[in-house]
Amino acid sequence: QQGQLGTNFTGWLKILDVALFIIPGIACFVLFPDLKDPDEAYMTMVTRLFPVGMTGLIMAVLIAALISTIDSALNSLSTVFTMDIFVKKYKPVATQKEIINIGRIVTVFGAVLAIFLTLAIDSIKGLKLFDVFQAILGFIAPPMTVVFLFGVFWKRTTTRAANTALTAGTAFSLGTGVFYLWIFPSEKYAFWPHFLLLSFFIFVLIAISTYLITSLDRSAAAEDQNSLDYGELPMPGKKVLIPWLMLIVTMIGLYLLFNGH
């Protein structure tokens, strides 16, 4: 029950995206209609609407948040690779000094890789910054989404099918993204569908492949299949159903309100 309520609370928080991202952009469009590059909307409003002291404070907060995000990402990369791959798979008897050195190397490698990825993202033409990030997420998400949905809703899903979706499926999805964003950019080649629709097509293709691999993998043992079992779950009570009903009504109301305008 707490998990269901927590998911519902997350849904309410997602509604704040409209106020945090969309409304400031609309305000900038009204206040500065001659702005040529929409990616400069936030900094334009900060530098031209706030006093000098407040501008410095906002810049300090922005840099602090950026550094915190980068620090967390590099720390997670280092920890996962060092403990879950290096120690568990390659050297279970590694000393503390070896673990620290490997963590440092992975951190530096991740930082350098991030720099090159930033330069690559900056070279993408024809898409605004928000669309660029949405497109990249759209090419990362399909394999993980397929594995998650199959793992939860189909007990016959085999380990081989899941691994294939995560490896070959990820390679195919990211490869398509490279062609879409860099090699044959949609700005010049009109045969591409919208990146959100393309992401859905990739999802369907990987889902079909996962189904076929599971169906044809007759050698899979019972223990190789998904054994996720929640037992007999009671139906959600009013404490869960009422917040979800309120969220559904709110989302439909917001859609109708903004779609009508």
Side-chain angles (χ1 to χ4, degrees):
Q1 184 185 74
Q2 293 302 314
Q4 294 168 337
L5 291 173
T7 306
N8 178 269
F9 179 68
T10 304
W12 288 103
L13 291 179
K14 293 297 290 184
I15 298 178
L16 297 177
D17 286 354
V18 177
L20 293 174
F21 298 112
I22 306 301
I23 294 180
I26 297 175
C28 182
F29 177 77
V30 174
L31 295 173
F32 306 102
D34 298 328
L35 186 65
K36 295 182 180 180
D37 188 358
D39 291 340
E40 299 177 358
Y42 177 77
M43 292 308 303
T44 298
M45 296 183 68
V46 169
T47 56
R48 298 176 64 175
L49 296 180
F50 285 95
V52 176
M54 185 63 70
T55 301
L57 178 62
I58 292 177
M59 293 301 298
V61 171
L62 184 63
I63 294 174
L66 179 62
I67 293 176
S68 175
T69 302
I70 296 174
D71 173 74
S72 301
L74 292 177
N75 183 63
S76 299
L77 172 66
S78 174
T79 302
V80 170
F81 180 86
T82 302
M83 304 308 297
D84 292 345
I85 298 179
F86 176 73
V87 175
K88 286 188 177 181
K89 300 291 184 181
Y90 295 101
K91 201 169 184 179
V93 294
T95 64
Q96 189 68 24
K97 184 177 181 180
E98 290 176 325
I99 293 175
I100 292 175
N101 289 335
I102 289 295
R104 290 172 176 172
I105 294 173
V106 173
T107 300
V108 173
F109 174 79
V112 173
L113 179 62
I115 292 173
F116 282 100
L117 288 176
T118 302
L119 296 174
I121 291 174
D122 187 59
S123 67
I124 297 175
K125 306 299 180 183
L127 292 176
K128 301 303 178 185
L129 187 59
F130 182 80
D131 291 332
V132 168
F133 286 119
Q134 294 300 315
I136 293 176
L137 289 176
F139 293 116
I140 295 176
M144 293 183 289
T145 306
V146 169
V147 173
F148 175 80
L149 293 177
F150 271 75
V152 171
F153 292 108
W154 196 30
K155 292 185 177 182
R156 286 185 54 196
T157 305
T158 62
T159 302
R160 179 179 299 176
N163 288 337
T164 302
L166 288 176
T167 54
T170 299
F172 173 76
S173 185
L174 293 180
T176 305
V178 170
F179 277 93
Y180 179 88
L181 296 172
W182 287 287
I183 300 179
F184 299 110
S186 58
E187 180 188 20
K188 295 182 179 180
Y189 299 90
F191 60 83
W192 289 107
H194 190 272
F195 61 83
L196 291 178
L197 189 60
L198 183 59
S199 176
F200 173 74
F201 291 154
I202 296 174
F203 167 81
V204 172
L205 183 61
I206 297 177
I208 293 175
S209 301
T210 303
Y211 173 80
L212 292 177
I213 293 174
T214 299
S215 300
L216 298 175
D217 190 10
R218 302 185 184 278
S219 62
E223 59 268 18
D224 187 45
Q225 297 181 355
N226 178 17
S227 58
L228 185 64
D229 186 9
Y230 296 106
E232 294 295 330
L233 289 178
M235 290 295 294
K238 292 182 178 180
K239 190 176 180 180
V240 173
L241 291 178
I242 292 178
W244 275 105
L245 181 61
M246 293 172 59
L247 179 61
I248 292 172
V249 172
T250 302
M251 292 299 298
I252 294 176
L254 289 174
Y255 174 79
L256 295 175
L257 174 65
F258 287 100
N259 189 56
H261 293 77

